[in-house]
Every structure is written in C-alpha cells, then in structure tokens.
Amino acid sequence: MKLNTILTGVAASALMSTAAFADVTIGFSQVGSEGDWRPAFSKNMQDEAATYGVDLKFANAQGKQEEQLRAVRAFVAQGVDAIIIAPVVVTGWEDVLEEAKDAEIPVFLVDRDVDVEDKSLYVSRISADFNLEGKIAGAWLATESLGSCKIVEMQGTTGSAPAIERKGGFEAVIDQFPAMEIVATQSGDFTTEGGKKVMEAFIKSTNNLDGICAAFAHNDNMQLGAIQAMKEAGLKPGEDVLMVSVDYVPAIVDAMNAGEANASVELRSAVAEFIYPVITDYLDSPTDLPKWIVIPSDLHVAN
Ligand code: GZL
C-alpha cells in the first residue's frame, strides 16, 4: 500500500522550478552523522550542490548544538550568501538567527525545526511533516491491531522536532482507540545502539514483552537495534510484535523482507532537488516564501 500524504504545507514539488544556475556560497550546519538516514541526506546535499552552482560549506556538528551555533557564526563571519540549518533541537536558536539577520544573510531550515516566536528569523523551512509521519504510523498500527494494542515506544533525540512531532501525531491517532496504549516510552536518540539498549530495558520491564503488541520507533535505526535485542531474547520481531518505524532506509527494507519489521514511513533523503532550487531562486530574486515547504512522506509495508 502506498499512502501518499495530504500535505499540510505547500508541496515542495509545487515550488520546484528550473532553478536559476547560481554561483553562490551556502553554509550548511548539519546535525551530525547518526544512523543511516542522516549520512544519506548529507551525501545527497554534497553531491548535488555543484549541479545548482552552489559552493557548499558543510559543517557536521556530531549532534552538538554548540557546534551548530559555532558553525553558523563562522558562516556569518565568512559572509556566505545563505545559511542552511538542520537544527538538532528546537530551542536555543534566537541569538544566532538574529546575528545572521543583522548580517543580512538569509537562513533556511531543512529537515528539523526551531521553536522561535519571530518567524522572520528564517526565510522558510523545507522538510517532511513529522506529525503526519506519526499519524501514518499510528493509523497503520490501529488498522493492523484492530484498535487494540499495548505499545512500547522508542523516541528520537529529546527536544528534537521529529521526536516531538512523531510522538504527537502517533498519539493523536491511538488516543482515539481506548484499547491502544503506549505502556513504555524512552529515548534511544535515533541510534541503533540506543534502540537496542531501550528495547533491552523494555524486555526486562515487561517480562519479555509479555502482552506487548507493537514497537513504534521514531526512526529505523532504533528499530534495527530493537530487532537485535528481541532476537537475542528469543523473541520474533515482526511476528510476536508488530514493528513500525520511520525513515525507510535500506536496512529496514532488508528487515521487512526478512519478516522482522512490518512497516516504515519513508523520509526522503534525496531532497537536494527540493532545497537548492528554493534557495537559489530566492537569492536570484527574493520573494515571500511559505514558512514551510513540505516534502511528502509515503508509507511502505512489508508484503
Ligand atoms: C527527521 C530526521 C531524523 C531521522 C533520523 O527528519 O531529523 O533524524 O528520522 C535522524 O533517522 O536521526
């Protein structure tokens, strides 16, 4: 089943243009290199930059916000033409965004989000709809479990937009079913090791997942770690417990084909084709853009 999403913002594809070939320098402050999805996203952005005439200055923060703030300040000092930020968490961005604005350097958010009062601090956010991803995962599970399911949840990085929004969307759906309940939830920080540790704890606290119908992981890497932990405990992920997560990275496809995972909501990693045209067109002739340009997500389920 391929469930195309109902976009809550302006669909990125609607804004894709035959981008003006630019000759610009853009600073990109990336979260880090956790998991499988993030490196694929980074590679796509780096590989595609020249196609759009972009000289990309790439800074990997290794998951540390202070490194992101340092990188953005360095981009401002260099006088780049634009700055891209994938913000690791939603808080703590006002000051550095003000500094970029004072330097008249436009900032674009990609992937994640910031929680700022003054939305003029950035031009636009180009990303998937994480809340919808959570809703899609919840709707799939409600259907599969006939509305009755005790769930363990592996959350993403605490304070990050995908963790906040995926949880919110998932709960918005399962809360409509009295017999669906998250009975244990903990952050695995979007890593395979983190997911494995959290699932080991759940296995201990629920007497080997006794009565647990499903595991919802905010990303595939944590789900892959959970699969490892469940198999080591003699459990059968994908059979004894329904396994639903987000990203749809190649390794989860392998797990789905092996019958160890059941569903994953795709988060596109090849998104340079959405991001660069928006920025180069804006630099070519600044216009008011929607504050959020949404990249669609699709549900994929194991056959
Ligand atoms: C969501 C992105 C998340 C991915 C994880 O857009 O920020 O971060 O779902 C990654 O795989 O760690």
Side-chain angles (χ1 to χ4, degrees), residues 31 34-38 111-112 128 130 133 162 166 189-190 218-221 246-247 267:
V31 168
E34 79 288 352
D36 295 359
W37 180 85
R38 178 82 46 203
D111 174 31
R112 297 193 179 175
F130 306 141
E133 292 166 343
R166 285 172 184 164
D189 207 22
F190 284 132
H218 291 184
N219 85 326
D220 293 339
N221 283 93
V246 185
D247 283 354
L267 174 75

Side-chain angles (χ1 to χ4, degrees), residues 25 74-82 105:
T25 301
F75 295 145
V76 170
Q78 288 165 27
V80 296
D81 296 299
I105 299 177

Side-chain angles (χ1 to χ4, degrees), residues 31 63-66 68 85-90 93 112-113 157-162:
V31 168
K64 299 184 182 72
Q65 183 174 32
E66 62 270 20
Q68 288 204 278
I85 305 173
V88 59
V89 292
V90 297
W93 295 96
R112 297 193 179 175
D113 199 2
T157 301
T158 303
S160 68

Side-chain angles (χ1 to χ4, degrees), residues 12 37 50 78 83 102 129 131-132 139 141 155 159 165 170 203 219 253 273 291:
W37 180 85
Q78 288 165 27
I83 293 171
D102 292 346
D129 180 344
N131 185 275
L132 193 54
L141 184 57
Q155 294 190 41
E165 291 297 324
F170 186 79
I203 288 168
N219 85 326
V253 178
E273 63 179 306
K291 274 302 167 188

